[in-house]
Amino acid sequence: MTEDEHKEGIKGMANPSRYGIERVAYWLMRLSGLGLLAYFVAHIYETSNILRGQVGWNEFLELTQTTEGHIFLAIVIAMCVFHTVNGIRVMLGHGGVGVGKPARPDYPYDPASQNYRHKIGIYSAIVLAAIAMMYGLAVMFGE
Amino acid sequence: MAQVSHIANEQTSTPISSSKSITLRIARYNPEHDDSSKFMEFTIPYERWTTVLEAILEVKKHLDHSVAVRYSCRQATCGSCGMMINGKPRLACFTKISELNSDVITVEPMNNFPIIRDLAVKFERLFDTHHKIKPYLIRDDADLVSDEREFLQSPEEVEQYIQFANCIKCGLCNSACPTMATDSSFVGPQALAQAYRYVADSRDKGKDSRLKIIDESHGIWRCHFAGSCSQVCPKGVDPAMGIQLLRGYLLGFRG
């Protein structure tokens, strides 16, 4: 990045702190997407161990039967739920659903596209991801 | 090295007189001989109604006339004085110091725009992308003949686009956009919102050509609906809504 372009770059793109919950959702969407991509690659590698037979398969699965493995899987569950729920919200928005109708704006300008429906969608995605993660942890660490 | 200055007593001018004061940090950068930007600090008195632009002009008048800043109308109409104020893109003439609730105000040039000097940035790319989407009515019978009147519209048809006609080309939306932060070729929320403004205009017949322009790899599909553009728009244009509605045309949801 050169000073000439004066672009914010990835650091600016990823900064979730300045523009409200929508930007937090944008950041979590990318983070969970990249996380799930990494998990997908790891999952392909994991399942390829079936070629080593039942013993090899069981040996590899033992990696996930540790505390760290359980936490990792719980995070994967949270990422999956958030990415799905928020993805549906974003896709609906991309189709023009829930973004409001054009109208003459009155001061103070509250953008109709950032309305309560989308905010509820974002908070729902976060809450559902947290619930799913806790349920997953309860199952994996439970008696 | 930061420089702290105070308002000088001058017989020939009338500086702002107030018991309240803030520290104004101004980013200084001249691409011709500076490697990076530095901040200079000034102590500026202010009143409840003092705007950030007035504070900067106070610096120019009494402390350092070399500060480069672009401004014109001082009433949020021309879109010249866009800058980063305490980390967010805002119009300096439209932002009061008192509403920032901070003793220190940092002003920097807008992000995602090349810097001319200090707070002034180049608008060439914004104007290029704005022109790219053909921001004018397109129709075969554009030349009015003597016995015809103007192209008529119903009030309902005007409501479809009038919000987006409020754009003052200040560039704050492009500065806040996370895609603009990384993609040098992205057409940007300003131009996309203007594309919607003309596509939604019942008098316009250039929908297909405009949709073709924005339906490319660095076009409308690079928008990920973060909504920051709409949050910083000083005129309530809501570019994020325009972009999503524009997608409706491309996806076949709208006629």
Side-chain angles (χ1 to χ4, degrees):
Chain A
M1 181 101 39
T2 65
E3 191 78 15
D4 285 349
E5 292 184 0
H6 193 53
K7 286 197 170 299
E8 279 201 288
I10 292 172
K11 190 178 171 187
M13 183 196 79
N15 182 354
S17 64
R18 292 174 295 176
Y19 302 107
I21 192 68
E22 289 82 5
R23 196 65 172 258
V24 174
Y26 171 89
W27 177 71
L28 288 175
M29 194 70 178
R30 255 126 214 86
L31 210 61
S32 59
L34 289 170
L36 288 172
L37 178 66
Y39 175 76
F40 181 68
V41 172
H43 183 67
I44 298 285
Y45 175 74
E46 177 199 15
T47 51
S48 70
N49 278 281
I50 196 77
L51 297 173
R52 292 169 55 206
Q54 188 173 358
V55 176
W57 174 253
N58 289 337
E59 277 178 8
F60 195 85
L61 271 193
E62 282 176 10
L63 282 174
T64 60
Q65 303 305 314
T66 60
T67 302
E68 293 81 3
H70 286 168
I71 291 171
F72 172 74
L73 289 175
I75 292 170
V76 169
I77 291 168
M79 290 192 298
C80 195
V81 171
F82 177 83
H83 205 81
T84 303
V85 177
N86 192 56
I88 291 169
R89 176 190 73 84
V90 172
M91 280 195 290
L92 289 171
H94 286 179
V97 177
V99 295
K101 292 178 181 175
R104 292 173 195 266
D106 286 325
Y107 189 83
Y109 305 121
D110 291 321
S113 63
Q114 319 290 294
N115 58 37
Y116 73 95
R117 288 186 292 267
H118 279 275
K119 289 189 196 302
I120 288 172
I122 294 167
Y123 286 117
S124 298
I126 293 170
V127 169
L128 286 172
I131 290 171
M133 186 171 74
M134 286 189 288
Y135 179 73
L137 287 170
V139 169
M140 287 184 282
F141 285 109
E143 294 298 323
Chain B
M1 186 74 180
Q3 175 183 321
V4 180
S5 304
H6 299 274
I7 292 287
N9 289 321
E10 292 183 18
Q11 298 294 324
T12 56
S13 60
T14 52
I16 299 167
S17 59
S18 171
S19 57
K20 295 180 291 187
S21 64
I22 48 105
T23 300
L24 184 65
R25 298 176 72 238
I26 301 179
R28 307 299 304 272
Y29 173 64
N30 186 337
E32 290 183 3
H33 54 71
D34 292 337
D35 294 329
S36 61
S37 64
K38 295 172 184 170
F39 284 97
M40 289 182 73
E41 295 184 358
F42 304 91
T43 302
I44 304 292
Y46 73 98
E47 303 285 358
R48 186 163 51 89
W49 51 82
T50 306
T51 65
V52 173
L53 179 63
E54 286 168 339
I56 295 168
L57 294 180
E58 198 72 7
V59 171
K60 279 181 73 69
K61 192 192 290 184
H62 299 288
L63 301 169
D64 186 347
H65 65 269
S66 69
V67 172
V69 59
R70 184 196 284 120
Y71 67 99
S72 183
C73 74
R74 311 191 195 198
Q75 55 182 7
T77 301
C78 73
S80 295
C81 63
M83 61 185 72
M84 302 297 289
I85 300 174
N86 281 2
K88 289 178 78 171
R90 308 174 205 252
L91 290 181
C93 72
F94 198 48
T95 307
K96 292 187 185 73
I97 287 171
S98 54
E99 74 188 48
L100 293 170
N101 297 317
S102 173
D103 293 332
V104 178
I105 293 176
T106 302
V107 289
E108 302 164 87
M110 274 195 296
N111 291 320
N112 310 329
F113 286 83
I115 301 171
I116 297 172
R117 189 159 69 85
D118 298 343
L119 303 173
V121 295
K122 293 178 185 171
F123 272 76
E124 277 83 350
R125 204 180 139 223
L126 182 137
F127 293 144
D128 285 347
T129 52
H130 181 68
H131 290 149
K132 186 179 172 185
I133 56 95
K134 302 184 179 179
Y136 41 81
L137 295 183
I138 299 172
R139 49 190 296 152
D140 295 334
D141 56 345
D143 295 326
L144 291 172
V145 292
S146 59
D147 60 340
E148 285 183 344
R149 298 177 64 191
E150 65 272 22
F151 304 124
L152 297 177
Q153 283 185 311
S154 68
E156 291 75 24
E157 288 171 330
V158 173
E159 293 296 324
Q160 291 301 308
Y161 71 86
I162 194 69
Q163 175 178 9
F164 299 92
N166 288 345
C167 177
I168 57 173
K169 289 87 182 169
C170 60
L172 298 188
C173 53
N174 281 12
S175 182
C177 174
T179 305
M180 293 292 291
T182 53
D183 185 351
S184 298
S185 304
F186 179 46
V187 68
Q190 189 277 333
L192 290 170
Q194 290 309 288
Y196 176 78
R197 178 253 174 273
Y198 287 95
V199 166
D201 192 328
S202 62
R203 300 166 298 176
D204 182 74
K205 305 297 177 193
K207 183 178 78 175
D208 292 341
S209 65
R210 268 191 211 93
L211 293 183
K212 196 173 178 183
I213 291 166
I214 61 172
D215 184 17
E216 49 101 26
S217 58
H218 293 281
I220 194 167
W221 307 111
R222 284 290 170 111
C223 168
H224 298 288
F225 197 18
S228 309
C229 52
S230 298
Q231 290 178 20
V232 301
C233 180
K235 305 302 283 186
V237 172
D238 202 347
M241 182 211 283
I243 295 169
Q244 311 320 317
L245 296 177
L246 200 56
R247 280 188 169 127
Y249 288 102
L250 284 159
L251 296 170
F253 299 147
R254 299 169 74 90

